[in-house]
Amino acid sequence: MQILEGEGVTKYFGGLAAVSKVDFHVDQGEIAGLIGPNGAGKTTLFNLISAALVPKPGTIRFKGEKITGLKPHKICRLGLARTFQEVKIFSNMTVLENVLLGSLFGCSTGMSSADASREAEELLEFVGLSAVRTTPAKDLTLVNQKRIEVARALATKPELLMLDELMAGLNPAEVAQAMELVTRIRDKGITIFMIEHVMKAIMSVCDRIMVLHHGEKIAEGTPQEIAISKKVVEVYLGE
Amino acid sequence: MDITALTSRRFLVPGLITLTVLATLPLYGSLYTVILITTILMYIILAVSWVIFSGPTGYMSLASAAFFGVGIYTAAVLMPNTGQLLPLPVVVAIAGLISGLLAVLVGALTLRLRGIYFAIFTFGLVEIIKQVLLYWEFEVTHTRGRFVVLVDNDTVFYIMLGIFVALMLTVYFIRRSKFGLALQSIGENEEAAAHTGINVTMVKVITFGISAIFMGAAGAIMATRWTYIDPYIAFNPLFSFMPVLMAIFGGMGQLYGPVIGAAIFAYLQETLQTTFPYYYMLIFGIVLVVAILYLPNGIVGLIQKLIQRWRKGGSAEQNANT
Ligand SMILES: Nc1ncnc2c1ncn2[C@@H]1O[C@H](COP(=O)(O)OP(=O)(O)OP(=O)(O)O)[C@@H](O)[C@H]1O
Ligand SMILES: [Mg+2]
């Protein structure tokens, strides 16, 4: 079943088509990858899905329901959460408060604050940040700030989680941990859609990969198919 | 959460003492003192109300004079010297509600503006309302200004004190609530807040409305003290700038920062205005520039730093002795 589907999704910045007539879908339960050279339009596509931007034209459906035109907080509450390429945390709040906000506001079913705190604590444990729960978020290293974003997104109880370059800027050991985290999230039954430049990571964890180039989708398939696709090798992997 | 509980207990006793001293003021204070403290409370209310919204969100509102002025005019309409239409507390409440509704309306239209545009628009609001009222009085009612029922000074003082207490309780509960956490997150990173499920527009609009309620209520009660008001008096731009300056001067990191800033500022203004009627704005300006240059966290920040240094000095001495 397709949990997310887009039809003719387009976004112009002035005269530049950052995303151009892209049809895409994500299947329930899979880890889907999105790759492409710098400036290909990957982050823009995520922004269109999470309603940071509005496609013009194009429609996006989530769980069969049209979500184009909804506000970001509505989309989050429907069960579609995301992280950001440039980390966007609440710097002067504690790590716990960052995650707690997700539990308190992110799901459509209201939650008592006691339940919300307990859930936030569990998620900190899940991403390995329990030890720094009362530290201000700004004092953490990049990798830990990215973990805050993941935990905060998970706190909103998503069915689909979109990760924008979770592994960028991490050292090899941290990349390995991040890959393990991604599979653990999928094992919770959460579908994942991820943008990544770290090829080793994307090729080994993804079930299916889409390739963007100059705003257009140029290929789609299993990691094996993408690795040997002539077009993809030409524009991207061949660099 | 534990921290808020602790700080609340730390402030409970001093808070209650201050309140008792203030509540009994008319019994032992001179008339002049009662009037002075009423004015100081008014400025504290304006500064703290301004901080409720602009502090956590970082949106620089210059609409305070508009909400304050709407409160003043509401009182003028409902309590003309020709005959009071409603009891004073009701008038104050209505004035607060009207200002609050105006803020909700304006907020819904303008809170998508960021930075300097929001500041300019909110300041424009003061001028727009003033001009509309001038036009109305000139063309429709053919009057200039209005006279308000005179109310005795103790009553004015007690109502002002009541507004102040209600405001402090509101701030306290907002800070402790999940709404307050959402508000803070908007100031930290609005985009992330929206993508975490927070209805950022609604939180901002409601907060803007709450802050305007107190400004409007304070305006209504001040109107009874001024007795004559016109659009120039009611919509004086100074009431947009003063709260901002007082909050910065006092320091916005702690709730009592704006309170202390407003108290000192208002006291200086009242005394300087009588001793140096021509130079007081200049003296003010200099004090402010010095404060901004040398006290990035305001008076309260300075005091905290001094206390820290003193404590450190004390413990160093102890170490030397042992
Ligand atoms: N808000 C914006 N305003 C104008 N142009 C933009 C905006 N956001 C992105 N662009 C442009 O759109 C194009 C696509 O950008 P996007 O960030 O989606 O690329 P990306 O595939 O995520 O790249 P990277 O791998 O570097 O993150 C780029 O040319 C970028 O300069
Ligand atoms: Mg990107």
Side-chain angles (χ1 to χ4, degrees), chain A residues 11-14 16-19 34-47 53 85-86 164-165 195-197 212 214-215 236:
Chain A
K11 176 71 196 179
Y12 277 87
F13 289 119
L16 169 88
V19 172
L34 181 60
I35 63 172
N38 287 113
K42 306 179 296 292
T43 298
T44 304
L45 184 61
F46 267 29
N47 285 340
L53 298 170
Q85 182 171 355
E86 321 276 344
D164 194 347
E165 301 206 18
I195 297 174
E196 206 51 74
H197 276 298
L212 278 188
H214 290 321
Y236 188 39

Side-chain angles (χ1 to χ4, degrees), chain B residues 130-165:
Chain B
K130 186 204 286 176
Q131 294 303 332
V132 168
L133 278 173
L134 282 171
Y135 175 84
W136 182 266
E137 293 193 341
F138 189 75
E139 293 287 337
V140 183
T141 60
H142 303 294
T143 52
R144 177 64 198 277
R146 286 161 182 275
F147 289 92
V148 186
V149 170
L150 189 64
V151 176
D152 77 283
N153 289 305
D154 287 357
T155 311
V156 173
F157 169 76
Y158 277 118
I159 292 192
M160 196 65 93
L161 186 61
I163 299 170
F164 168 73
V165 172

Side-chain angles (χ1 to χ4, degrees), chain B residues 91-115:
Chain B
V91 172
V92 170
I94 292 177
L97 285 180
I98 293 180
S99 287
L101 284 178
L102 175 69
V104 166
L105 201 76
V106 170
L109 292 174
T110 61
L111 277 170
R112 69 197 73 209
L113 301 175
R114 281 242 69 157

